[in-house]
Amino acid sequence: MTKTKRRSAVLLLLLLALPAALAAQRSTADAEVAFTYGVRAYNQGDWSEAVRRFEEAVAADPDHAEAREWLAVARRNQARTGEAVAAPGFGGLLALRDQPRFDLRAGASYGQDSNPLLMPEGAVASIPGVGAFFDVPDDEVANLDLRAAVYPFYGRAGWSLGLVGEAKAARFSDLDFLDETQWRGALQLAWGSDPQGFLTGPLGFSRVPFGHSRTALLFQVGTGETELDGDPLIQVDQAALSFTFRETVKTATQVEIDAQSRDLLDGQAESDVLSASVSQIFYLGRRDRSLRVGVLRSEEDGGIAGDVTTLGGTAELVLPLSKSLTLQLAATRRQDDFEPASGSGFEDTTLRAAGALTWSLPHGLYLVGRASWTDRDSDFRRLAFFEERDYDRTTAGLGIQWLF
């Protein structure tokens, strides 16, 4: 056989083997995802879900020895105890291996916004280059988001590191001057473990090892920028600390402190914000079914409308409806007291209710429906008969997310 023919044969073999290699790599990735969720379900005492996830892992990768071992144990527990199993205590959780080192999430949604300009009823708005609005305009909006994170190391009894980058975009159908683009980067240093495998803070969440440490810390530092129709709107440098104390299997207390330095409207104003919040979490029989109630206080110095003091309260409910369907509900009340550099102060009270329904699909896909309602009532008046800062707003949308 000549050298040319040998090269052609080798190339042909490589081309034939490439699809099989890629398929095998994808099967291994699917098995790892299913195995991770199976371990999480096992620690929550949900034997049926654990069995289903471990079976998915074995089906995707028949050589996954760990998945086979965990599947056998989960089946024995399911046969012995049935479905009525309480969430295990701190001493009842198994030691688990670390989370994956890489996390990628991408999402897209499309929906309706009843009042993107935040206009009160009966208002007239005139925007140079756009035109006048004699009624509250609504619009369709498309949202895109991407999140990539790398976790260089985990420590079961110590520190874990996360590096996160996020980008988001909102594109309006008619009111394109409201198109918004955001990006943010953050470094997250965590101490401790968690039964669900992640800790949350003001800059989002960070993965940590599965476990049951009674206390956990999350330090976050980051920077980000928001642009409106391509022009700088706000640039933020941020540092935050989140502390979680798990008093019992069914409760946990979380304290968050957040400090921000803001550059507004490309240097037209600069402000500093310091906020603190305390929330109590109640786990309702299992770790992924919970109620959170909390309070917030923040101080902003040098904002566009002057100094601002904010008091707020929130309640959040996470309620699994089935193995693949989860409902999330949230309600907040926020009171902002403004002290302008000139003129008299005023107060805004904002009520907001939001909900999301998530349907888990195979291969890390999630179908998500969201809706929200917001109402702001202000005592700011330039004209006695017109409530110019009051508004109502509703949004609704449907989207899909992919988690790798």
Side-chain angles (χ1 to χ4, degrees):
M1 182 181 292
T2 64
K3 182 181 295 184
T4 301
K5 289 183 177 180
R6 283 198 298 271
R7 287 178 178 174
S8 299
V10 170
L11 180 59
L12 178 61
L13 289 173
L14 288 174
L15 291 175
L16 291 174
L18 182 59
L22 292 175
Q25 184 178 16
R26 180 61 188 172
S27 296
T28 301
D30 290 343
E32 287 297 320
V33 172
F35 179 80
T36 298
Y37 282 106
V39 170
R40 182 180 301 177
Y42 187 100
N43 269 356
Q44 293 167 353
D46 189 349
W47 311 128
S48 178
E49 175 68 5
V51 167
R52 184 175 75 86
R53 292 293 191 174
F54 292 141
E55 286 176 343
E56 288 180 3
V58 173
D61 183 5
D63 296 326
H64 200 308
E66 287 183 279
R68 289 186 176 278
E69 294 172 0
W70 282 75
L71 175 59
V73 175
R75 281 174 172 169
R76 287 199 297 270
N77 284 336
Q78 184 182 36
R80 184 170 59 249
T81 61
E83 295 299 325
V85 179
F90 288 103
L93 298 175
L94 297 181
L96 304 178
R97 67 180 188 176
D98 293 337
Q99 292 258 43
R101 290 288 193 266
F102 180 73
D103 176 31
L104 177 64
R105 299 170 182 241
S109 67
Y110 191 79
Q112 181 79 22
D113 190 329
S114 72
N115 188 6
L117 284 173
L118 307 184
M119 287 176 56
E121 287 290 343
V124 175
S126 180
I127 300 176
V130 176
F133 297 94
F134 298 94
D135 197 4
V136 176
D138 61 0
D139 203 359
E140 289 82 32
V141 58
N143 292 281
L144 304 172
D145 61 89
L146 179 67
R147 182 185 190 274
V150 179
Y151 301 90
F153 67 83
Y154 292 102
R156 277 192 201 291
W159 298 97
S160 301
L161 178 65
L163 304 173
V164 182
E166 295 178 287
K168 297 182 180 181
R171 296 293 181 262
F172 286 87
S173 177
D174 297 324
L175 308 175
D176 55 2
F177 60 91
L178 292 179
D179 288 351
E180 187 176 283
T181 303
Q182 301 179 39
W183 66 265
R184 182 172 69 183
L187 182 148
Q188 307 186 106
L189 189 61
W191 182 88
S193 59
D194 183 82
Q196 291 186 289
F198 63 88
L199 299 175
T200 60
L203 278 76
F205 73 92
S206 183
R207 282 181 175 177
V208 294
F210 290 109
H212 47 87
S213 61
R214 190 171 290 272
T215 59
L217 289 172
L218 178 60
F219 296 98
Q220 300 173 306
V221 293
T223 185
E225 184 171 347
T226 301
E227 294 182 352
L228 190 64
D229 196 24
D231 296 323
L233 180 64
I234 179 172
Q235 195 273 330
V236 179
D237 296 320
Q238 192 170 2
L241 168 65
S242 176
F243 171 75
T244 302
F245 176 66
R246 305 181 182 92
E247 305 91 350
T248 69
V249 175
K250 297 182 178 180
T251 64
T253 301
Q254 186 171 7
V255 179
E256 296 180 349
I257 300 174
D258 183 18
Q260 300 181 25
S261 177
R262 298 178 175 180
D263 184 316
L264 308 171
L265 300 176
D266 199 19
Q268 294 187 31
E270 295 182 353
S271 69
D272 295 315
V273 182
L274 181 63
S275 62
S277 66
V278 180
S279 59
Q280 183 69 46
I281 307 168
F282 302 93
Y283 297 104
L284 309 176
R286 46 193 269 193
R287 285 284 175 173
D288 59 348
R289 181 187 293 128
S290 62
L291 172 66
R292 177 196 292 261
V293 292
V295 294
L296 164 76
R297 178 182 172 85
S298 72
E299 299 276 353
E300 180 177 10
D301 297 325
I304 292 292
D307 297 342
V308 187
T309 300
T310 300
L311 295 174
T314 183
E316 302 174 6
L317 176 66
V318 180
L319 186 63
L321 303 179
S322 67
K323 293 177 181 178
S324 58
L325 203 61
T326 301
L327 177 66
Q328 296 172 279
L329 300 172
T332 61
R333 184 183 187 277
R334 176 187 175 112
Q335 179 178 302
D336 298 297
D337 292 320
F338 294 86
E339 292 295 336
S342 61
S344 59
F346 60 94
E347 179 181 290
D348 289 353
T349 300
T350 306
L351 302 177
R352 186 174 188 271
L357 188 63
T358 303
W359 182 23
S360 175
L361 303 172
H363 307 298
L365 292 172
Y366 294 84
L367 187 65
V368 185
R370 291 189 173 90
S372 70
W373 167 82
T374 306
D375 174 80
R376 184 171 72 189
D377 181 35
S378 177
D379 62 7
F380 179 85
R381 300 287 182 271
R382 257 191 291 236
L383 300 173
F385 59 88
F386 186 63
E387 301 170 337
E388 60 189 273
R389 285 184 61 86
D390 294 5
Y391 74 87
D392 288 306
R393 182 188 191 188
T394 58
T395 65
L398 183 65
I400 191 165
Q401 286 192 330
W402 177 62
L403 278 61
F404 176 79

